[in-house]
Amino acid sequence: MPETYKVAVIGSTGRGGYGHGLDKVFKDLDNVKLVAVADGDPEGLIKTGNRLSVSNLYGDYRQMLEMEKPDLVSIAPGWVSERVPMIEAAASVGSHIYCEKPVAGSLIEIDAIVNACSRGNIKMAIAHQWRAMPSIRQAIRDVVSGKFGKLLRIWTRPKDDSRGGGEELLLHGTHLFDLMMAVSNTPRWVNGHILQNGRESTLSDSHHGTQPVGPIIGDSISATFGFDNGVRGFFESTANLAIPGQSNFNNLFGMSIECEQASLELREPGDCYIYPAPRVLPDQEHLAWKKVWIEGWHDKYDHSTLWKNFLHLGNQILVKDLIKAIETEAEPLSSISTARYINEMVQGVYLSHFSDGRRIGIPLVDRAHPLESSE
């Protein structure tokens, strides 16, 4: 392994930009050296080069990869529209990958990505920054170890702003489904129900959201996922419940984990709260929520500081973990194999809805997206 990892960044100004700080992730990290940036927008490329103090600038990411052959590349655009060729190009020159979420908009795309990484023996980590937070990681360890008794159910909710429903199913569902699997392993089945303006969604409702995440439908979605040992995971989303400047809360994004002896609530910017019963019992005044305190973390970063910096901190934790995975032949915290199951879960919700709510086995047999036929 190299003493210093040569790294590069692929961005796309105006077409997904640099994601959630994936251009800045290498700043002040040990054993890495940022050598080049690629961006098809000339003005955006120059601005990014100046911002990152990088002089090797390329208008074509393929040329950059061939010329620089970085050990590690950050694929930063939030849009998934060119995700497959970017990853295939990086894998072809042996570059390991840190990739913005969501990884892909369809199973066909994610299959191509998995195959490219497998052919090149490439490690790929996904920018699920929430997954990296110390409190979240502690919660995962405690649930998996059985500290609170048997895991029973997992309830998840995305931000539920104007993007609620179909767009949030993948856009922020990617974080939530990644965490579901962290505590309960891979899903075995899915069923889903989708509404549009209070009625059953139909194929004619198919459209694209505010950013490309593949075809979507619905402004209200309910989905259930089955895991081993009778564990069930639930995803609920309804648009316009959290309206900026109007709601008396910022967003609904979070995960509730129900165990035999306790409930855990995971909230941004990566905190965990524990309640000593399987569900909240408001009449039991002796029971109360307790925030998990991580020594060396919460005493270093107060809540306000974490809100401002948790994306960058999470990115750096995940990149450090990716480098460790490269050196030890381990799986990254949030890996490409997990990302594949995320797309299984999303596409399975649509397939179940259009199969009259029938339970759909995972992995899906038919890899074609159920909404593609309406485009």
Side-chain angles (χ1 to χ4, degrees):
M1 297 296 168
E3 292 185 5
T4 300
Y5 284 82
K6 186 167 64 170
V7 300
V9 173
I10 298 174
S12 187
T13 299
R15 295 179 58 82
Y18 290 83
H20 292 81
L22 268 70
D23 54 334
K24 300 178 289 187
V25 61
F26 304 112
K27 181 177 174 59
D28 299 326
L29 283 183
D30 295 333
N31 305 322
V32 300
K33 182 181 180 182
L34 180 59
V35 298
V37 175
D39 189 329
D41 181 89
E43 184 176 345
L45 178 61
I46 293 172
K47 287 182 177 178
T48 303
N50 291 335
R51 183 174 68 250
L52 300 178
S53 300
V54 176
S55 58
N56 294 336
L57 306 179
Y58 295 83
D60 186 325
Y61 63 84
R62 294 178 180 84
Q63 183 184 23
M64 179 188 74
L65 292 167
E66 288 292 339
M67 293 292 292
E68 303 289 346
K69 290 185 169 53
D71 301 303
L72 182 62
V73 61
S74 175
I75 297 182
W79 291 11
V80 302
S81 48
E82 204 173 349
R83 191 78 87 217
V84 173
M86 286 179 177
I87 290 173
E88 288 179 336
S92 71
V93 299
S95 298
H96 299 284
I97 299 165
Y98 185 56
C99 185
E100 173 65 315
K101 62 80 186 171
V103 177
S106 71
L107 280 174
I108 291 174
E109 291 172 348
I110 199 73
D111 287 346
I113 289 168
V114 170
N115 291 339
C117 291
S118 179
R119 287 194 303 270
N121 194 26
I122 299 300
K123 297 290 184 182
M124 179 171 161
I126 318 306
H128 291 136
Q129 300 91 351
W130 212 35
R131 172 75 169 83
M133 297 294 99
S135 294
I136 305 297
R137 295 172 70 181
Q138 184 63 54
I140 293 168
R141 288 192 293 268
D142 288 344
V143 172
V144 171
S145 72
K147 179 178 179 178
F148 308 112
K150 181 183 176 182
L151 171 64
L152 302 174
R153 301 170 188 87
I154 309 163
W155 305 85
T156 61
R157 197 91 189 214
K159 292 180 181 292
D160 272 353
D161 51 22
S162 61
R163 300 167 294 184
E167 188 165 359
E168 281 281 57
L169 181 62
L170 182 56
L171 188 62
H172 287 107
T174 184
H175 287 286
L176 299 169
F177 300 149
D178 174 72
L179 284 172
M180 272 193 192
M181 285 183 273
V183 297
S184 58
N185 214 324
T186 53
R188 303 303 182 187
W189 54 264
V190 52
N191 63 24
H193 183 237
I194 307 172
L195 297 175
Q196 180 70 47
N197 298 323
R199 59 169 174 77
E200 298 277 329
S201 289
T202 67
L203 279 173
S204 63
D205 294 318
S206 179
H207 65 285
H208 289 272
T210 57
Q211 69 183 71
V213 291
I216 61 175
I217 60 168
D219 57 14
S220 183
I221 290 180
S222 294
T224 305
F225 303 95
F227 298 89
D228 289 340
N229 302 313
V231 175
R232 279 152 292 166
F234 301 91
F235 174 89
E236 296 285 346
S237 178
T238 299
N240 298 313
L241 294 183
I243 303 174
Q246 298 182 37
S247 304
N248 63 349
F249 48 86
N250 56 1
N251 66 70
L252 297 176
F253 191 55
M255 170 179 280
S256 304
I257 302 173
E258 182 182 324
C259 300
E260 290 178 309
Q261 300 163 16
S263 298
L264 290 79
E265 190 72 27
L266 310 185
R267 287 284 289 163
E268 284 187 313
D271 282 321
C272 175
Y273 301 83
I274 299 176
Y275 185 83
R279 63 181 293 260
V280 176
L281 306 172
D283 59 315
Q284 303 291 302
E285 296 181 1
H286 66 288
L287 302 179
W289 289 99
K290 181 179 179 181
K291 182 177 178 177
V292 174
W293 179 271
I294 304 295
E295 198 70 33
W297 181 259
H298 288 108
D299 49 351
K300 183 178 181 181
Y301 305 108
D302 60 27
H303 189 74
S304 176
T305 302
L306 272 178
W307 259 112
K308 295 176 183 177
N309 297 287
F310 86 95
L311 290 171
H312 179 64
L313 293 169
N315 282 331
Q316 293 205 321
I317 291 171
L318 291 168
V319 166
K320 289 177 184 177
D321 176 75
L322 172 59
I323 291 172
K324 182 179 179 181
I326 295 168
E327 295 177 347
T328 61
E329 287 296 321
E331 279 292 289
L333 274 177
S334 191
S335 69
I336 183 60
S337 59
T338 304
R340 178 182 242 170
Y341 272 99
I342 290 168
N343 279 96
E344 298 272 5
M345 296 166 81
V346 170
Q347 208 157 299
V349 171
Y350 290 127
L351 183 59
S352 173
H353 175 75
F354 288 113
S355 303
D356 296 323
R358 179 170 56 88
R359 182 183 296 180
I360 303 297
I362 294 177
L364 273 63
V365 175
D366 187 351
R367 312 305 280 177
H369 200 295
L371 302 183
E372 293 287 352
S373 61
S374 67
E375 294 193 305

